[in-house]
Amino acid sequence: MSIPSMTLFHNPASPYVRKVMVLLHETGQLDRVALHDCQLTPIKPDAALNQDNPLGKIPALRLADGQVLYDSRVILDYLDQQHVGNPLIPREGSARWRRLTLAALADGIMDASLLVRYELILRAPEQQWEPWVEGQRDKIRRGLAELEAHAIAELASHFDIAAISVACALGYLDFRHPDLEWRQAQPRLAAWYAEASQRASLLATQPPV
Ligand code: BEZ
């Protein structure tokens, strides 16, 4: 057990933080990182976090030399270059661009999910903009449909940046948007996730109940 040399600004509910935690588990780097818990929303920022990341977003990763990395994509790339096992982000070639594109699709599903969440919990009901919420839900539905139609075999082939990102996006949908019932229209994605979600890294990083 080594003394952590890095600090991760963290909240267990964030799917973006979860991606980083899953990669730390998968690459055996958990003990290199101390967690700094942040309770924040766009209208209730975390002062300590803002000093290190002017965007006030988690995750952010403070390195041993004081440098701070953000956002989650940069942190994942950095951490993936800090271990000796197989890379979870292909370093080059067409696999790199395909796996990063799948990861970006999953991030987009998270983005839309979080925007809907903020609209519904932070705004007074009379201020909520239903067509905008529905537009975000449509992004989620289209993203899921794309994964169902074109990505199942790739997700099943190995557990890397693409699979981590999709699993964290689906976990967030289950956590905050169970009403979307995404499994109904995506049975193959549901079957993939049922198996993937049993990995130790995903079991250990489930959102709080
Ligand atoms: C949430 O509670 O859904 C949440 C909290 C922090 C970051 C992202 C999401």
Side-chain angles (χ1 to χ4, degrees):
M1 185 84 170
S2 58
I3 297 173
S5 61
M6 300 181 274
T7 301
L8 180 67
F9 291 88
H10 171 275
N11 181 304
S14 163
Y16 309 96
V17 169
R18 190 179 186 196
K19 287 191 299 177
V20 173
M21 294 301 294
V22 171
L23 185 134
L24 289 169
H25 273 267
E26 294 282 341
T27 59
Q29 299 187 80
L30 267 183
D31 61 359
R32 302 184 62 211
V33 173
L35 303 183
H36 175 101
D37 203 42
C38 299
Q39 301 297 332
L40 75 168
T41 70
I43 56 169
K44 194 165 74 62
D46 181 296
L49 171 64
N50 283 357
Q51 280 183 1
D52 279 332
N53 177 357
L55 300 175
K57 291 166 96 171
I58 49 172
L61 183 70
R62 192 193 296 128
L63 307 183
D65 66 0
Q67 186 186 355
V68 177
L69 304 184
Y70 49 85
D71 57 9
S72 63
R73 287 170 278 213
V74 176
I75 296 170
L76 290 167
D77 202 351
Y78 174 80
L79 291 172
D80 195 39
Q81 303 208 18
Q82 302 298 309
H83 67 99
V84 293
N86 288 335
L88 297 186
I89 304 174
R91 299 279 197 265
E92 58 196 7
S94 60
R96 174 173 174 81
W97 308 119
R98 175 62 180 160
R99 305 307 284 194
L100 285 176
T101 299
L102 287 173
L105 180 58
D107 282 3
I109 292 171
M110 287 178 210
D111 295 344
S113 306
L114 195 58
L115 288 172
V116 171
R117 167 90 182 146
Y118 285 151
E119 181 77 6
L120 298 183
I121 63 158
L122 296 180
R123 271 192 204 265
E126 65 276 11
Q127 292 178 337
Q128 289 173 12
W129 188 9
E130 183 52 33
W132 183 87
V133 169
E134 210 38 51
Q136 298 303 322
R137 288 191 179 124
D138 282 343
K139 286 179 196 264
I140 297 170
R141 291 188 193 103
R142 288 197 302 271
L144 293 172
E146 171 69 16
L147 293 170
E148 176 79 3
H150 299 299
I152 302 301
E154 290 169 285
L155 292 175
S157 68
H158 50 290
F159 197 75
D160 69 349
I161 185 68
I164 290 173
S165 303
V166 171
C168 292
L170 297 177
Y172 192 70
L173 287 179
D174 283 347
F175 178 45
R176 292 301 191 201
H177 302 288
D179 50 306
L180 286 183
E181 297 184 339
W182 64 267
R183 287 173 179 79
Q184 280 192 7
Q186 277 81 216
R188 297 167 71 224
L189 189 61
W192 170 78
Y193 183 61
E195 189 174 333
S197 61
Q198 295 309 303
R199 290 182 78 89
S201 60
L202 285 170
L203 289 172
T205 58
Q206 291 179 76
V209 277

